[in-house]
Amino acid sequence: MEIPRLHPDTIEDVKQRVDIVDVVSEHVVLRKRGKDYVGLCPFHDEKTPSFSVSPGKQIYYCFGCNAGGNAIKFLMEVGKRAFSDVVLDLARRYQVPVQTLEPEQRATLQRELSLREQLYEILALTTAFYQHALLASQGQQALTYLRTTRRLSEETIQQFQLGYAPAGWETLYKYLVQQKGKPVQQVEQAGLIAPRKSGGGYYDRFRDRLIIPIYDERGRVIGFGGRSLGDEQPKYLNSPETPLFDKGKTLFALDKARDAIAKLDQAVVVEGYFDAIALHAAGIRNVVATLGTALSSEQVRLILRYTESKQIVLNFDADKAGTQASERAIAEIAPLVYGGQVQLRVLNLPDGKDADEFLNGHSDAAQQYQQQVQDAPLWLDWLLSQLLLGYDLKQADQFQQVAQKMVKLLNQLDNVNQLTYYVNHCAQLLSQGQTKLVPLLIDNLQAQLKKPVAVPFKKSQTRSYNQKSVGTSKDTSTPVQSKSKDAPKPSFNLSIGSASSLLERAEALLLRIYLHRPEYRQAIIDALEARDLLFSLSHHRFLWQQILDLQPIVQLDDTGTQGHGDTGMLEKDSPRLGVSPSGRLFLEASSQTSDSLISLLQERSIQYPEKMARVTHLFHLDEKCQEDISRTPLVIRAAAACLEMIACENHRRYCLEQWQKLDSTTDFQLKQYYLQEFYEADRQLKELEQIRQANFSDVIELSAS
């Protein structure tokens, strides 16, 4: 089938979204070398790597055969594929909406391209006009403001091509339309004039304002920002949206900052034009500014093209408005931030100053500012510090409010390691220095998390050390060596490697059964809930979340499936996830089939291609897998026991680590608590291993997921 011609917007969006390292690494083994990556060229035979990929420039180049280009060209060359075919695949992969261009649209497109070039010319003329006006007598007030109030040098004024819009209502209109002969419609489309509401004619949009040109990445003027010199409101006025200018997709000074961002591997984002200009004038050139809007995901992606480590520092004002702007920015780019795609930090300068004020208040301002940037806290540390402001944790109601807000933040974290760290960090903050409370607070936070977290406490195992008898163990056959200096010895060993393999296979078996044997879905939910278990591996956890999301709408056929609760009745309608008044999960009746659940999951491969690729093998059953899940009741019990064993082993290791760190002379009771927990976990591991073996011990070994 012939692929229709793609719209230029689609092609441009794909170029903006695609990551060349991600694309090339699927075909070439890449190794980091400085800021770039190197590997063996796929286009000619070689033994020494001469093929280089630059994430900052988003290009590849081979010094051996001179092959080079962007990600699209790479896929065209390596797969001998057509341009449209490659772009379409990348659009699907990076979730870019696809627009096609019909034959009758092509002439329109050519006209649009011609119009854009004419608008660029009009805006360039206007920039020169405003510059000239700044140096004329009518621009004296604006020039004095730049030199005196903003302390800008002639070099900086010229670098940013700052200007002045005269006070007359038709000054620019007459210059462009009457003197230069530019079509009035195009001048209006450039955002420079507006039609009068009555009487006909046009008036200048910018009047008696200091003018700051706004450039695209290629250094072409696409719009203007105007600052009033008196009391006129608004203080700052931007160009309206035009065929060239979209303030939500544009960053001020990016054209001047991109090389410094790539060199320093970091970008600083400020709120105002003059903050950015002042920092550039001070020699800090990796700085861009938003245009009166919250930082958008499109703007972030522009920055990420130039920083390999994805480091962005938000430096908005430290007042209430600036704090709210930082919070809005984090919320706006939440998927990128919580997913770890951006290494975001937030800088609040001392005394609530903005960057321009800070630079004017210190003799060694540039050096001090760079140190402030270096010391800026990570976004989540900053949010937590803001969250604590105004609360007294010694008051029970305020303590609860803070804890609930912390849980809300933690539940949005995708990275397990990051989540583990911040669960412990939040517990430390809530403990107010009382270290003995930290384990209990970790337990409390864990209990409220929606996602599994690899912290070394399991809800059903963690208890306060002062709630248990000290110096004895629940397993009376294993006395607690309360004063022994030797580390306790486990009676059952589970190596890290075997634990990982066991967990992978057990979780895969449970998911396969859930997908292919609808009548046992309630049994799986019951087994997980009874043991307080969740899927630990990220790809399995992702699939389970997709299943839960789809369960209310999936259509199952009329094959008999387990009914509600423990009645054991078979109903025509198959289950749908529900919650009882007591909080217990169960499957409500609906008319659904396992095949349609799998089909709906497969459709999500378009939305999550990489994540779904790791679990699609579970959608199919070979002969061995069919044999394994035919023994379903035994398999469920054995697999659940395996999951509980891993959680128990993690807890045991953690208790041993804590026991070894503590000093008996200063933390005797807490040391005893961890020792008891160690032996309790050790006893449970032995019991679980017996359960696993009794419930078909070879099930996991026979199943290769």
Side-chain angles (χ1 to χ4, degrees):
M1 182 182 68
E2 182 181 354
I3 298 175
R5 185 174 177 184
L6 297 173
H7 195 282
D9 288 350
T10 297
I11 297 170
E12 185 60 30
D13 286 347
V14 167
K15 289 179 180 178
Q16 294 285 343
R17 297 276 188 92
V18 70
D19 182 349
I20 194 167
V21 175
D22 186 30
V23 169
V24 174
S25 61
E26 294 183 347
H27 302 270
V28 179
V29 177
L30 296 176
R31 291 181 175 84
K32 194 82 162 53
R33 181 178 294 174
K35 291 187 176 181
D36 296 335
Y37 292 81
V38 297
L40 296 175
C41 180
F43 304 116
H44 79 283
D45 294 331
E46 62 177 3
K47 296 182 179 179
T48 303
S50 61
F51 182 82
S52 175
V53 179
S54 170
K57 298 178 181 177
Q58 287 292 304
I59 61 172
Y60 69 92
Y61 184 76
C62 177
F63 293 92
C65 67
N66 298 320
N70 59 16
I72 295 174
K73 186 176 180 184
F74 177 83
L75 291 176
M76 290 173 63
E77 296 293 335
V78 80
K80 305 301 180 187
R81 300 165 63 192
F83 175 83
S84 295
D85 185 31
V86 169
V87 174
L88 192 59
D89 276 354
L90 289 173
R92 291 168 179 162
R93 175 172 174 174
Y94 289 94
Q95 302 172 37
V96 175
V98 175
Q99 302 178 58
T100 59
L101 192 63
E102 301 300 329
E104 58 269 19
Q105 293 178 295
R106 294 175 187 172
T108 302
L109 176 62
Q110 292 301 323
R111 289 194 296 271
E112 289 177 358
L113 293 175
S114 176
L115 171 63
R116 291 172 68 89
E117 292 302 321
Q118 293 175 59
L119 294 182
Y120 283 127
E121 182 183 351
I122 290 172
L123 290 167
L125 274 174
T126 303
T127 303
F129 173 82
Y130 287 148
Q131 280 186 287
H132 178 77
L134 178 68
L135 301 177
S137 58
Q138 58 188 337
Q140 189 60 46
Q141 181 185 359
L143 188 59
T144 301
Y145 173 83
L146 292 174
R147 290 171 174 170
T148 305
T149 305
R150 293 296 179 175
R151 302 183 184 181
L152 298 182
S153 66
E154 299 298 330
E155 180 184 359
T156 300
I157 293 172
Q158 182 59 39
Q159 179 191 6
F160 285 89
Q161 294 187 291
L162 303 179
Y164 170 71
W169 284 81
E170 296 181 342
T171 308
L172 180 64
Y173 168 82
K174 291 178 179 178
Y175 172 75
L176 292 174
V177 177
Q178 297 179 8
Q179 292 186 36
K180 294 298 181 180
K182 298 301 178 184
V184 66
Q185 294 82 4
Q186 292 181 7
V187 177
E188 181 184 0
Q189 286 177 296
L192 300 172
I193 59 176
R196 295 183 183 276
K197 295 181 179 179
S198 61
Y202 293 83
Y203 64 91
D204 294 351
R205 185 176 295 275
F206 298 102
R207 302 179 308 282
D208 193 24
R209 286 180 178 267
L210 179 66
I211 295 295
I212 305 106
I214 302 168
Y215 299 84
D216 64 11
E217 290 176 85
R218 295 170 59 182
R220 299 175 298 189
V221 177
I222 57 175
F224 297 99
R227 187 196 189 280
S228 66
L229 296 170
D231 298 328
E232 185 180 355
Q233 295 297 322
K235 179 183 289 187
Y236 285 94
L237 178 66
N238 287 328
S239 292
E241 289 197 6
T242 71
L244 302 181
F245 178 64
D246 183 340
K247 63 182 180 180
K249 298 179 180 179
T250 305
L251 286 165
F252 177 71
L254 181 59
D255 60 305
K256 298 172 178 63
R258 60 183 188 177
D259 289 343
I261 292 171
K263 182 178 179 180
L264 299 173
D265 199 19
Q266 182 189 68
V268 177
V269 182
V270 294
E271 274 190 284
Y273 297 112
F274 284 105
D275 288 338
I277 292 172
L279 287 166
H280 276 260
I284 304 169
R285 296 186 172 88
N286 61 325
V287 180
V288 296
T290 56
L291 299 172
T293 62
L295 186 66
S296 68
S297 56
E298 289 88 353
Q299 290 171 323
V300 168
R301 289 192 176 95
L302 284 176
I303 297 172
L304 296 185
R305 299 186 65 182
Y306 303 104
T307 166
E308 182 183 328
S309 62
K310 316 303 183 188
Q311 292 187 56
I312 297 177
V313 179
L314 286 183
N315 178 204
F316 292 170
D317 295 350
D319 57 14
K320 183 177 180 181
T323 298
Q324 291 174 343
S326 296
E327 292 173 346
R328 285 197 306 272
I330 294 172
E332 181 72 20
I333 61 174
L336 299 176
V337 173
Y338 287 105
Q341 299 175 52
V342 177
Q343 305 305 315
L344 185 67
R345 293 179 180 272
V346 181
L347 169 60
N348 288 146
L349 293 170
D351 303 322
K353 294 181 177 179
D354 59 30
D356 188 22
E357 293 169 337
F358 183 85
L359 292 174
N360 288 328
H362 299 81
S363 58
D364 56 344
Q367 184 177 352
Q368 287 196 37
Y369 184 85
Q370 289 170 329
Q371 186 62 49
Q372 291 281 340
V373 170
Q374 184 177 339
D375 296 339
L378 289 168
W379 64 276
L380 190 49
D381 292 310
W382 180 82
L383 280 179
L384 290 171
S385 68
Q386 295 297 312
L387 187 153
L388 292 170
L389 294 177
Y391 285 95
D392 180 5
L393 295 182
K394 294 181 181 179
Q395 303 297 321
D397 58 337
Q398 296 185 48
F399 180 95
Q400 183 180 5
Q401 292 176 41
V402 170
Q404 289 174 343
K405 291 183 178 182
M406 285 180 171
V407 170
K408 185 177 180 180
L409 288 176
L410 293 171
N411 272 325
Q412 297 182 73
L413 295 177
D414 292 334
N415 184 280
V416 175
N417 292 328
Q418 190 181 41
L419 181 56
T420 301
Y421 171 83
Y422 278 106
V423 167
N424 284 275
H425 181 59
C426 288
Q428 295 281 353
L429 294 175
L430 292 171
S431 73
Q432 304 173 74
Q434 301 181 57
T435 56
K436 294 181 180 181
L437 294 177
V438 172
L440 300 177
L441 292 167
I442 290 176
D443 180 37
N444 182 40
L445 292 170
Q446 263 191 291
Q448 300 175 70
L449 294 179
K450 297 177 181 178
K451 303 175 184 177
V453 53
V455 291
F457 286 90
K458 183 170 180 286
K459 286 189 282 183
S460 58
Q461 292 173 326
T462 308
R463 54 181 69 85
S464 171
Y465 63 87
N466 60 10
Q467 290 177 323
K468 297 176 62 176
S469 58
V470 177
T472 61
S473 171
K474 293 183 78 173
D475 184 357
T476 55
S477 64
T478 311
V480 173
Q481 305 295 326
S482 61
K483 296 185 180 182
S484 172
K485 293 184 180 180
D486 297 328
K489 305 294 183 183
S491 60
F492 175 81
N493 287 308
L494 186 61
S495 69
I496 294 177
S498 61
S500 177
S501 175
L502 194 67
L503 184 64
E504 174 77 33
R505 297 178 182 182
E507 290 188 354
L509 266 176
L510 288 175
L511 289 168
R512 274 201 173 100
I513 293 170
Y514 196 96
L515 290 171
H516 298 282
R517 298 294 298 272
E519 65 270 28
Y520 287 102
R521 289 177 182 171
Q522 184 64 56
I524 291 174
I525 291 174
D526 289 344
L528 295 176
E529 284 233 314
R531 296 169 177 80
D532 192 25
L533 298 171
L534 291 168
F535 291 97
S536 296
L537 299 178
S538 60
H539 52 298
H540 290 159
R541 188 167 65 249
F542 168 77
L543 178 58
W544 183 245
Q545 186 59 53
Q546 302 310 305
I547 290 173
L548 296 182
D549 290 346
L550 290 171
Q551 195 67 59
I553 60 171
V554 69
Q555 296 299 314
L556 301 174
D557 65 15
D558 290 338
T559 56
T561 56
Q562 187 98 20
H564 292 212
D566 300 320
T567 61
M569 296 176 63
L570 299 180
E571 302 177 353
K572 279 188 176 183
D573 290 337
S574 294
R576 180 176 64 187
L577 200 63
V579 182
S580 71
S582 64
R584 177 177 174 272
L585 290 175
F586 65 89
L587 295 176
E588 299 175 339
S590 64
S591 56
Q592 305 166 332
T593 70
S594 60
D595 284 342
S596 56
L597 172 59
I598 293 173
S599 296
L600 288 170
L601 287 168
Q602 289 173 327
E603 289 177 5
R604 295 212 165 184
S605 296
I606 299 174
Q607 188 176 1
Y608 307 107
E610 295 179 4
K611 292 183 178 180
M612 292 300 293
R614 298 187 64 187
V615 294
T616 51
H617 62 284
L618 299 175
F619 300 163
H620 312 285
L621 293 178
D622 56 24
E623 186 176 346
K624 182 171 63 174
C625 292
Q626 288 177 346
E627 180 183 354
D628 291 340
I629 71 169
S630 66
R631 298 166 285 195
T632 304
L634 291 174
V635 172
I636 293 175
R637 287 195 292 271
C642 290
L643 266 62
E644 193 169 8
M645 284 177 68
I646 303 304
C648 201
E649 171 63 15
N650 290 339
H651 182 63
R652 183 175 69 171
R653 285 180 183 151
Y654 175 77
C655 291
L656 179 59
E657 291 174 2
Q658 296 303 308
W659 184 88
Q660 291 170 331
K661 291 178 182 177
L662 293 170
D663 186 344
S664 297
T665 59
T666 58
D667 297 292
F668 176 75
Q669 286 188 322
L670 194 57
K671 193 175 179 76
Q672 282 295 105
Y673 162 70
Y674 283 118
L675 191 63
Q676 290 182 41
E677 287 291 300
F678 173 88
Y679 283 117
E680 173 66 13
D682 189 64
R683 182 187 66 79
Q684 290 185 22
L685 271 172
K686 288 190 294 184
E687 291 180 357
L688 289 168
E689 175 62 12
Q690 293 173 359
I691 293 173
R692 187 176 76 93
Q693 292 178 354
N695 287 281
F696 224 83
S697 62
D698 62 334
V699 166
I700 302 300
E701 308 300 327
L702 289 173
S703 176
S705 32

